[in-house]
Amino acid sequence: MDMLLPSLSLSYPKVAGKWQNCRKFLGTNRVAKMCAFTPSNSKKKTVWIWTENKQVMTAAVERGWNTFIFPSNRQDLALEWSSIAVIYPLFVEEGRQIDHEHKSVAAFAEISSPQQLEQFQISEEQADKVVVNLLDWQVIPAENIVADFQGTQTTVLVVSKTQSEAQVFLEALEHGLGGVVMKVEDVGAILELKGYFDRRRDVDSLLNLTKAIISHIQVTGMGDRVCVDICSLMRPGEGLLVCSFCPVYFCLSTICK
């Protein structure tokens, strides 16, 4: 029996397409198939929205983004929107982001020079998240911010005003920042950002498979049982990804030729 495992790669998988790449012929009219892949270790990117435009709010909520930033004097707007949509409002106040209970959620800093970035410090209680508003991000490359916070447990979000600007921050040095704050009044920017994440997800879902040989089988006791009733609906080359608690998914199927 052959088992296909993913090859190690730091970039997005390049192999597209069909399961027939991992077929093993057992006879003249049957194909047994066993494929496996390990899910991507890339962290999910955080998206917060900073706007006073109701259409932008609606578009963002419809796409799964419900954390919104408001100036400290616009609690009335946050209350109004909370009555028509499920949102999580945050407010900018004295170098931090606070929630409606006045609890600190993230540090907040406006930075306009590399020197300010080097001197920027966050308190221990704010170390979980930090929102950085670069007053001129062309002066401070996105790579500098990623490098400064790489290896820490801090999730860094940078204020962005366009989808292309957000993309730079999300991809810098291959890893990118932990997320972005979209400060926009245009619905189009939200739609473009959602399209970007959809394309990222499509690329992440591709499988990069290599062949491996099972050289030893050991009985370890009773395991989980899976009943699959939809095999008759599958086309040649298709299968199911099955997993219990391990980080590797297996596609098991026997398909008539």
Side-chain angles (χ1 to χ4, degrees), residues 17 27 41 56 98 114 122 176 205 216 223 229 235 241 243-244 250:
N41 290 325
V56 171
I98 61 173
I122 56 178
S205 66
H216 178 70
D229 295 327
R235 295 173 297 180
L241 294 176
C243 178
S244 180
F250 293 92

Side-chain angles (χ1 to χ4, degrees), residues 37 171 236:
F37 77 100
E171 296 181 354

Side-chain angles (χ1 to χ4, degrees), residues 53-185:
N53 185 298
K54 187 175 180 180
Q55 285 71 37
V56 171
M57 180 274 293
T58 302
V61 169
E62 289 174 348
R63 283 150 185 83
W65 300 322
N66 61 358
T67 300
F68 291 85
I69 295 177
F70 300 90
S72 58
N73 63 346
R74 290 312 313 267
Q75 295 196 24
D76 60 322
L77 183 61
L79 184 61
E80 176 190 340
W81 288 1
S82 296
S83 67
I84 60 177
V86 179
I87 68 170
Y88 180 48
L90 300 177
F91 304 93
V92 180
E93 181 182 280
E94 298 178 354
R96 59 180 183 155
Q97 303 273 338
I98 61 173
D99 61 15
H100 67 285
E101 296 179 344
H102 213 76
K103 295 180 179 178
S104 180
V105 175
F108 179 78
E110 292 186 330
I111 297 176
S112 58
S113 70
Q115 292 74 24
Q116 280 186 307
L117 179 62
E118 291 178 4
Q119 297 169 2
F120 176 62
Q121 299 289 331
I122 56 178
S123 64
E124 187 173 333
E125 65 177 8
Q126 296 175 325
D128 187 36
K129 289 185 176 65
V130 56
V131 175
V132 178
N133 187 12
L134 297 177
L135 302 182
D136 185 355
W137 77 270
Q138 301 288 352
V139 174
I140 309 172
E143 289 81 1
N144 287 22
I145 303 176
V146 174
D148 282 351
F149 288 93
Q150 211 165 42
T152 71
Q153 298 301 313
T154 302
T155 299
V156 182
L157 294 84
V158 171
V159 177
S160 304
K161 297 180 180 178
T162 65
Q163 178 271 325
S164 58
E165 191 173 302
Q167 183 174 342
V168 171
F169 293 120
L170 294 171
E171 296 181 354
L173 295 183
E174 296 187 0
H175 297 283
L177 297 175
V180 292
V181 174
M182 291 297 290
K183 188 175 184 180
V184 296
E185 303 299 326

Side-chain angles (χ1 to χ4, degrees), residues 167-237:
Q167 183 174 342
V168 171
F169 293 120
L170 294 171
E171 296 181 354
L173 295 183
E174 296 187 0
H175 297 283
L177 297 175
V180 292
V181 174
M182 291 297 290
K183 188 175 184 180
V184 296
E185 303 299 326
D186 176 23
V187 174
I190 299 298
L191 301 181
E192 290 174 357
L193 186 66
K194 181 58 168 59
Y196 164 72
F197 277 107
D198 286 344
R199 292 190 295 273
R200 280 178 61 107
R201 185 173 63 249
D202 289 343
V203 173
D204 264 332
S205 66
L206 300 180
L207 306 181
N208 197 8
L209 304 174
T210 56
K211 183 181 292 186
I213 304 297
I214 298 178
S215 59
H216 178 70
I217 298 177
Q218 180 178 346
V219 178
T220 59
M222 186 67 68
D224 295 334
R225 297 181 63 186
V226 178
C227 179
V228 180
D229 295 327
I230 62 171
C231 290
S232 62
L233 301 178
M234 296 180 184
R235 295 173 297 180

